[in-house]
Amino acid sequence: MTSACPACLGPDLRPFYTVERVPAASCLMLDDEAAARAFPAGELRLAVCESCGFVTNTAFDPALTRYEDDYEESQGCSPRFRDYAAELADGWVRRYGLAGKTVVELGCGKGDFLATLIASGVGHGIGIDPAVRTERIDPALRPRTTWIPGLFPEALETIDAEAVVCRHTLEHIAPVGAWLRTVRSAIGARTDTVVLFELPDVLRVLREGAFWDVYYEHCSYFSAGSLAALFRRSGFEPLDLRRTYDDQYLVIEARPVPAGRAPAGVDTGDRDDVLAAAGTFVARMEEARTHWRGRVRKVAASGGNVLLWGASSKAVGFLATLGDDARHVAAAVDINPHKQNRHLAGSGHRVVAPDAVPDLAPDLVIVMNPTYAAEIGRGLDARGVQTALETL
Ligand SMILES: [Zn+2]
C-alpha cells in the first residue's frame, strides 16, 4: 500500500477510480480456459498526486504480477507497429550517433526492439528482461547481442553504454522514483550516455475515459509534466519530450547531469490538467462502458457474433470492465502466433488467428487499438469477411 507519492514523495494522493477485481496479469496467455478464468485478481485503486500529477495504483501488490517467459507483450507482429519501431530506432541512432555503439535496453521483452536497433546500425545490444527467450532470437544477431534474463538492477548493476533504452517498462514499476535513481547511479560518472524512454501518456487515458488502458501491471502513470519532473529529480536533464504513435505514448530523451549539478530547464507543469482529467475520468469511463455494453448486447440479442481484434492488455482490461457483458464476445483475434489458441487471463476468452475469422462470421469486430484499424480492415477484406468494424 502506498501512502506518499512514489514519484515526488508528496503526501497527498487523491483516490479517483477503484475496481475491486481485475486480472493480475493482462499479457499472460494461458493454455487452459479454466486456469485463465481462475487467474488471480488484484485491486485497482488509482490515485493522483496533488503535488506532481503522477498517478499510481495504491493497492498494487507486486507479488501478484509475474513476468515470465509466457508473458506476451510483443506487438512486433503488426506491420504498423514494426514501422513505427523502425522509425523510432532510426531516429535515435541518427540523432544520438549510436551507429557502432553499445545500447542497453531495460525491459527488452522478447528482444524485438533491440534487433531493430541493431538493424539501424547499433554495434552491440544488451537486453535485460525476465521474459527474454534466447531461442526466439535470430541466430544472426547473437554475436552482436547479450541477453540477460532477469530484472534491473538485480541482474545488471552497472550500465556502461552510449544509450539506455527503456520502452513500456517504467509504468510497470511501483517505486518509480527509487528505480530511476538506480538507473542514474548505474550509469555513474559517464554523462555522455543518452537515456531514451517510452511509455503511455496518462492524460490521454484520463481524458478519453479509456478504461481498457488501465490494468493491473500498470501501477504507474505519467503525464509529460510528471515524467519530466521525475527525470530532473532523478539526476537527468530532458533533451526532448514528445507524444508519438497517434498521441498514445510519451517519448523522453535525456542525459545524466553530473553529480552536484541541477538539471537545466523548467517543468512543463501539467499537474492541473491531470487533476482535472482525473476528476472527470469516472464519468467518461462510465459513458464509454455503457456504450460498449449496449453495442455487444444489441449484436448478441440479434443472434450475432462479436469479436475483439487484438489479444492485448487492452482486451483484458476491456473485458474485465464489461463484466457480465463480456460473455457476448466470442473470442479475441490476434496476428501473433504465440498467442493463438490460448486464453486471456480473467475472462478466459480464446485467442484465434485471423484465418479463423471467416468461420466465426462476426457481425461486429471491436478493434482494441485504433492505430491498427486500417491494417485490420484490409485483413478482413482479404478474407471476404463482411462485418461492422468499430474502434475503441
Ligand atoms: Zn507526486
Side-chain angles (χ1 to χ4, degrees):
M1 301 289 157
T2 306
S3 52
C5 171
C8 78
L9 304 179
D12 297 310
L13 291 173
R14 185 199 297 173
F16 66 92
Y17 179 55
T18 300
V19 186
E20 271 174 31
R21 288 179 61 82
V22 293
S26 56
C27 279
L28 208 62
M29 294 291 140
L30 292 109
D31 290 325
D32 179 68
E33 184 178 343
R37 286 179 182 278
F39 200 80
E43 185 183 359
L44 281 182
R45 209 181 297 154
L46 293 193
V48 60
C49 170
E50 294 188 356
S51 304
C52 77
F54 176 70
V55 172
T56 180
N57 176 10
T58 59
F60 180 71
D61 175 2
L64 285 176
T65 59
R66 53 193 193 113
Y67 298 107
E68 289 152 18
D69 58 4
D70 44 0
Y71 192 79
E72 279 297 343
E73 79 298 332
S74 173
Q75 290 177 285
C77 294
S78 157
R80 168 82 171 83
F81 193 78
R82 269 204 307 268
D83 289 350
Y84 165 73
E87 206 177 292
L88 188 67
D90 262 349
W92 280 345
V93 169
R94 268 188 289 107
R95 200 164 320 131
Y96 297 107
L98 301 177
K101 302 294 170 81
T102 297
V103 174
V104 167
E105 187 178 6
L106 306 175
C108 65
K110 299 290 190 287
D112 295 337
F113 191 68
L114 208 54
T116 308
L117 283 166
I118 300 277
S120 297
V122 162
H124 194 84
I126 300 166
I128 172 165
D129 197 294
V132 155
R133 285 175 75 175
T134 44
E135 73 276 11
R136 275 215 222 161
I137 307 294
D138 177 359
L141 279 174
R142 289 198 188 137
R144 295 176 63 186
T145 49
T146 305
W147 303 96
I148 305 170
L151 288 166
F152 175 85
E154 292 82 352
L156 180 73
E157 287 177 7
T158 56
I159 295 173
D160 186 13
E162 277 74 23
V164 178
V165 166
C166 184
R167 299 180 66 222
H168 303 280
T169 296
L170 192 58
E171 66 271 32
H172 296 250
I173 292 163
V176 280
W179 192 83
L180 201 60
R181 281 195 300 279
T182 308
V183 175
R184 177 63 193 87
S185 43
I187 295 171
R190 199 174 164 168
T191 49
D192 65 325
T193 301
V194 67
V195 176
L196 309 164
F197 275 49
E198 183 184 57
L199 56 159
D201 177 12
V202 73
L203 207 46
R204 183 197 63 82
V205 173
L206 296 177
R207 284 179 172 157
E208 292 181 5
F211 61 84
W212 47 86
D213 282 328
V214 175
Y215 36 85
Y216 198 72
E217 296 103 312
H218 282 191
C219 46
S220 298
Y221 298 80
F222 289 92
S223 64
S226 59
L227 185 62
L230 178 69
F231 267 69
R232 285 205 173 83
R233 219 178 286 121
S234 310
F236 295 101
E237 194 162 271
L239 306 169
D240 190 41
L241 174 56
R242 60 183 183 276
R243 290 187 176 79
T244 61
Y245 213 54
D246 299 336
D247 291 342
Q248 296 186 53
Y249 304 152
L250 294 170
V251 168
I252 188 166
E253 303 168 0
R255 275 200 206 280
V257 287
R261 185 163 82 68
V266 288
D267 294 329
T268 50
D270 55 9
R271 182 199 59 189
D272 292 347
D273 296 339
V274 178
L275 288 171
T280 54
F281 175 76
V282 169
R284 301 300 306 272
M285 169 273 157
E286 292 285 5
E287 205 175 284
R289 181 166 63 178
T290 302
H291 166 79
W292 288 112
R293 279 183 164 163
R295 285 297 290 133
V296 302
R297 276 181 197 165
K298 190 172 169 209
V299 174
S302 61
N305 261 337
V306 181
L307 297 178
L308 303 189
W309 197 297
S312 56
S313 312
K314 288 177 194 280
V316 172
F318 183 79
L319 292 165
T321 316
L322 280 195
D324 279 352
D325 289 304
R327 71 183 189 278
H328 301 311
V329 174
V333 186
D334 205 282
I335 55 178
N336 182 344
H338 299 290
K339 294 183 178 181
Q340 292 160 7
N341 299 313
R342 305 181 81 191
H343 297 267
L344 298 177
S347 68
H349 281 82
R350 189 165 57 100
V351 182
V352 300
D355 283 339
V357 174
D359 284 344
L360 291 166
D363 301 90
L364 172 62
V365 173
I366 306 174
V367 177
M368 293 293 104
N369 192 331
T371 294
Y372 303 132
E375 191 174 301
I376 293 163
R378 286 193 294 274
L380 290 167
D381 286 346
R383 291 176 179 86
V385 177
Q386 301 270 328
T387 175
L389 186 68
E390 294 173 19
T391 58
L392 288 185

